[in-house]
Amino acid sequence: MRKTRTSTLSYMKKRCAILFLFAVTIMTACNNSAEIKNNEVTKTKADSLLDEVDDGHAVAMGKMGKLNRTQQQVSRLIDSISKLPAKAREAAAPYKTKLENLQEELRTADVNMNQWMESFNMDSAVNNTEERIRYLTTEKIKVDKVKEDLLNGLQKADSVLKAKF
């Protein structure tokens, strides 16, 4: 009987130890999860803003090649119109004016994109969440404006370049 009683006590001790470890593991996991959730809430706003800024930048950068090609095409057309005979130049004057306005709009979009990229600091206020959120919010507005100007300029270029004079 002694053996059975010792076995039972040993079994009970092992069982209690396992339950204790299981309970500690669950409590630790729950506490860590709460901390992670709290950190994610403060990080998520800044991270999502950074993602939005990066997305706006990526869209605009994806169009920079087309912007450069379009600027060259517009410049060539302006030069070609300037080489036309007087009567043809006169007939093309309104179209040339549209091209010159478009050229300036595209140049401005290009300059604004480059200025924004040079001034943007991805690591700004990394250690100050509130300041980082303010900075990224402002930068999102700026990059959205740069992207919008670039896309609008290209859209306008498509219609002006397809027009006949």
Side-chain angles (χ1 to χ4, degrees):
M1 253 191 148
R2 200 156 171 54
K3 216 178 194 186
T4 308
R5 189 172 181 188
T6 307
S7 296
T8 305
L9 284 174
S10 177
Y11 173 74
M12 293 298 279
K13 285 181 184 179
K14 286 181 185 177
R15 189 169 178 192
C16 284
I18 290 172
L19 288 174
F20 176 75
L21 287 173
F22 183 70
V24 168
T25 303
I26 288 176
M27 289 192 309
T28 304
C30 290
N31 286 340
N32 286 344
S33 145
E35 289 173 16
I36 289 170
K37 285 182 183 175
N38 288 338
N39 286 339
E40 283 179 4
V41 171
T42 53
K43 286 182 183 178
T44 299
K45 179 71 174 168
D47 287 344
S48 68
L49 280 168
L50 182 59
D51 288 344
E52 290 174 24
V53 169
D54 188 47
D55 289 347
H57 171 252
V59 168
M61 278 304 294
K63 297 296 182 179
M64 289 302 286
K66 182 175 181 179
L67 178 75
N68 290 330
R69 288 188 303 275
T70 303
Q71 285 178 301
Q72 291 171 356
Q73 184 179 7
V74 168
S75 184
R76 280 193 304 269
L77 283 170
I78 291 171
D79 289 345
S80 295
I81 291 171
S82 297
K83 294 176 183 175
L84 292 173
K87 251 187 174 180
R89 256 194 333 260
E90 190 177 307
Y95 185 66
K96 182 179 178 188
T97 301
K98 284 182 183 180
L99 288 171
E100 290 168 339
N101 292 336
L102 176 62
Q103 184 179 42
E104 183 57 32
E105 190 173 331
L106 295 174
R107 186 178 303 129
T108 300
D110 188 25
V111 166
N112 290 344
M113 176 65 173
N114 288 321
Q115 284 176 345
W116 178 83
M117 287 189 307
E118 287 174 13
S119 69
F120 179 68
N121 179 3
M122 185 181 298
D123 297 326
S124 178
V126 170
N127 297 322
N128 183 338
T129 303
E130 289 179 25
E131 184 61 33
R132 183 159 177 79
I133 289 171
R134 274 193 292 279
Y135 176 76
L136 290 172
T137 299
T138 302
E139 292 304 304
K140 182 183 177 326
I141 292 167
K142 289 179 187 178
V143 78
D144 284 348
K145 174 77 170 116
V146 166
K147 177 184 78 172
E148 181 181 319
D149 290 349
L150 196 146
L151 294 175
N152 286 342
L154 288 173
Q155 184 178 13
K156 183 176 179 181
D158 285 343
S159 64
V160 169
L161 294 173
K162 288 178 184 175
K164 304 284 183 188
F165 64 91

